[in-house]
Short mmCIF file of all heavy atoms in Angstrom, two decimals:
data_model
loop_
_atom_site.label_atom_id
_atom_site.label_comp_id
_atom_site.label_asym_id
_atom_site.label_seq_id
_atom_site.Cartn_x
_atom_site.Cartn_y
_atom_site.Cartn_z
N SER A 69 10.12 12.92 13.55
CA SER A 69 8.83 12.53 14.39
C SER A 69 8.76 13.50 15.60
O SER A 69 7.54 13.66 15.94
CB SER A 69 8.92 11.12 14.85
OG SER A 69 10.05 10.90 15.78
N TRP A 70 9.77 14.06 16.09
CA TRP A 70 9.54 15.07 17.14
C TRP A 70 10.80 16.00 17.18
O TRP A 70 11.94 15.53 16.68
CB TRP A 70 9.44 14.36 18.55
CG TRP A 70 10.52 13.56 19.08
CD1 TRP A 70 10.70 12.22 18.72
CD2 TRP A 70 11.74 13.99 19.72
NE1 TRP A 70 11.82 11.65 19.32
CE2 TRP A 70 12.41 12.73 19.99
CE3 TRP A 70 12.02 15.16 20.17
CZ2 TRP A 70 13.66 12.87 20.61
CZ3 TRP A 70 13.38 15.23 20.88
CH2 TRP A 70 14.09 14.02 21.03
N ILE A 72 12.46 19.73 19.24
CA ILE A 72 12.38 20.61 20.14
C ILE A 72 13.36 21.75 19.88
O ILE A 72 14.51 21.34 19.50
CB ILE A 72 12.88 20.18 21.70
CG1 ILE A 72 11.92 19.05 22.11
CG2 ILE A 72 12.81 21.22 22.68
CD1 ILE A 72 12.34 18.31 23.45
N CYS A 73 12.90 23.02 19.76
CA CYS A 73 13.80 23.98 19.32
C CYS A 73 13.66 25.28 20.18
O CYS A 73 12.58 25.47 20.95
CB CYS A 73 13.46 24.35 17.87
SG CYS A 73 11.87 25.14 17.67
N VAL A 79 12.44 25.46 11.80
CA VAL A 79 12.37 24.00 11.85
C VAL A 79 11.90 23.53 10.53
O VAL A 79 10.85 23.91 10.08
CB VAL A 79 11.60 23.58 12.97
CG1 VAL A 79 11.42 22.06 13.00
CG2 VAL A 79 12.07 23.88 14.34
N ILE A 81 10.31 20.32 8.34
CA ILE A 81 9.76 18.98 8.43
C ILE A 81 9.65 18.41 7.10
O ILE A 81 9.14 19.08 6.12
CB ILE A 81 8.43 19.06 9.05
CG1 ILE A 81 8.51 19.61 10.44
CG2 ILE A 81 7.72 17.61 9.10
CD1 ILE A 81 7.16 19.94 11.15
N CYS A 83 8.27 15.50 4.19
CA CYS A 83 7.26 14.51 3.96
C CYS A 83 7.52 13.81 2.60
O CYS A 83 7.66 14.56 1.61
CB CYS A 83 6.00 15.24 3.93
SG CYS A 83 4.41 14.22 3.60
N GLN A 89 3.86 8.55 -6.59
CA GLN A 89 4.22 9.95 -6.94
C GLN A 89 2.98 10.86 -6.47
O GLN A 89 1.78 10.52 -6.71
CB GLN A 89 4.41 10.21 -8.41
CG GLN A 89 5.65 9.53 -8.84
CD GLN A 89 6.09 9.68 -10.25
OE1 GLN A 89 5.17 10.04 -11.05
NE2 GLN A 89 7.37 9.73 -10.64
N MET A 93 0.31 17.29 -2.03
CA MET A 93 0.41 16.87 -0.54
C MET A 93 -0.19 17.84 0.32
O MET A 93 -0.33 19.00 -0.05
CB MET A 93 1.87 16.71 -0.12
CG MET A 93 2.65 15.46 -0.82
SD MET A 93 4.30 15.25 -0.24
CE MET A 93 4.79 13.85 -1.06
N SER A 103 -9.63 18.54 15.93
CA SER A 103 -9.56 17.91 14.67
C SER A 103 -8.33 18.27 13.88
O SER A 103 -7.63 19.19 14.28
CB SER A 103 -10.76 18.35 13.89
OG SER A 103 -10.87 17.73 12.62
N THR A 109 -2.15 23.16 1.05
CA THR A 109 -2.11 22.29 -0.10
C THR A 109 -0.80 22.55 -0.82
O THR A 109 -0.59 23.58 -1.37
CB THR A 109 -3.30 22.20 -1.01
OG1 THR A 109 -4.49 22.00 -0.30
CG2 THR A 109 -3.11 21.13 -2.07
N GLU A 112 3.30 20.28 -6.45
CA GLU A 112 4.63 19.99 -7.03
C GLU A 112 4.79 21.03 -8.25
O GLU A 112 3.92 21.15 -9.10
CB GLU A 112 4.67 18.54 -7.68
CG GLU A 112 6.01 18.28 -8.08
CD GLU A 112 6.18 18.47 -9.58
OE1 GLU A 112 5.28 18.41 -10.22
OE2 GLU A 112 7.33 18.69 -10.02
N GLU A 119 -4.64 27.84 3.60
CA GLU A 119 -5.91 28.08 4.06
C GLU A 119 -6.02 29.38 4.64
O GLU A 119 -5.00 30.04 5.12
CB GLU A 119 -6.35 26.90 4.99
CG GLU A 119 -6.28 25.53 4.45
CD GLU A 119 -7.47 25.52 3.39
OE1 GLU A 119 -8.62 25.73 3.62
OE2 GLU A 119 -7.11 25.14 2.10
N PHE A 127 4.80 29.76 7.61
CA PHE A 127 4.87 28.35 7.30
C PHE A 127 5.22 28.17 5.89
O PHE A 127 4.41 28.20 4.84
CB PHE A 127 3.62 27.67 7.60
CG PHE A 127 3.13 27.84 9.02
CD1 PHE A 127 2.42 28.62 9.48
CD2 PHE A 127 3.75 26.92 9.88
CE1 PHE A 127 1.89 28.76 10.84
CE2 PHE A 127 3.39 27.05 11.40
CZ PHE A 127 2.49 27.95 11.68
N LEU A 136 8.46 14.56 -2.62
CA LEU A 136 8.96 15.27 -1.42
C LEU A 136 8.36 16.66 -1.31
O LEU A 136 8.35 17.41 -2.20
CB LEU A 136 10.51 15.42 -1.30
CG LEU A 136 11.15 16.33 -0.29
CD1 LEU A 136 10.79 15.71 0.98
CD2 LEU A 136 12.53 16.55 -0.64
N SER A 137 7.85 16.95 -0.18
CA SER A 137 7.26 18.20 0.26
C SER A 137 7.83 18.59 1.57
O SER A 137 7.98 17.66 2.46
CB SER A 137 5.72 18.22 0.34
OG SER A 137 5.32 19.51 0.72
N LEU A 139 7.86 21.40 5.04
CA LEU A 139 7.08 22.51 5.69
C LEU A 139 8.30 23.15 6.73
O LEU A 139 8.80 22.30 7.40
CB LEU A 139 6.01 21.99 6.52
CG LEU A 139 5.48 22.88 7.55
CD1 LEU A 139 4.74 24.16 6.91
CD2 LEU A 139 4.43 22.19 8.40
N ASP A 148 3.58 28.07 18.32
CA ASP A 148 3.64 27.17 17.09
C ASP A 148 3.84 25.68 17.62
O ASP A 148 3.75 24.85 16.68
CB ASP A 148 4.81 27.46 16.30
CG ASP A 148 4.79 28.97 15.73
OD1 ASP A 148 3.62 29.47 15.45
OD2 ASP A 148 5.82 29.75 15.63
N ALA A 156 -0.65 12.46 1.59
CA ALA A 156 -0.77 12.45 0.15
C ALA A 156 -1.78 11.52 -0.32
O ALA A 156 -2.24 10.69 0.52
CB ALA A 156 0.73 12.14 -0.35
N GLY A 170 1.42 10.71 7.03
CA GLY A 170 2.73 10.52 7.72
C GLY A 170 2.44 10.21 9.12
O GLY A 170 1.33 10.40 9.63
N ARG A 174 5.93 16.13 16.00
CA ARG A 174 5.65 16.86 17.29
C ARG A 174 6.62 17.95 17.57
O ARG A 174 7.82 17.68 17.80
CB ARG A 174 5.62 15.95 18.59
CG ARG A 174 5.41 16.66 19.87
CD ARG A 174 4.09 17.24 20.16
NE ARG A 174 2.97 16.03 20.02
CZ ARG A 174 1.76 16.29 20.02
NH1 ARG A 174 1.34 17.59 19.93
NH2 ARG A 174 0.93 15.32 19.94
#
Side-chain angles (χ1 to χ4, degrees):
Chain A
S69 56
W70 59 270
I72 301 173
C73 69
V79 174
I81 301 170
C83 181
Q89 294 183 332
M93 290 186 176
S103 182
T109 301
E112 187 268 336
E119 295 299 303
F127 300 98
L136 174 63
S137 175
L139 168 68
D148 298 325
R174 171 73 60 190

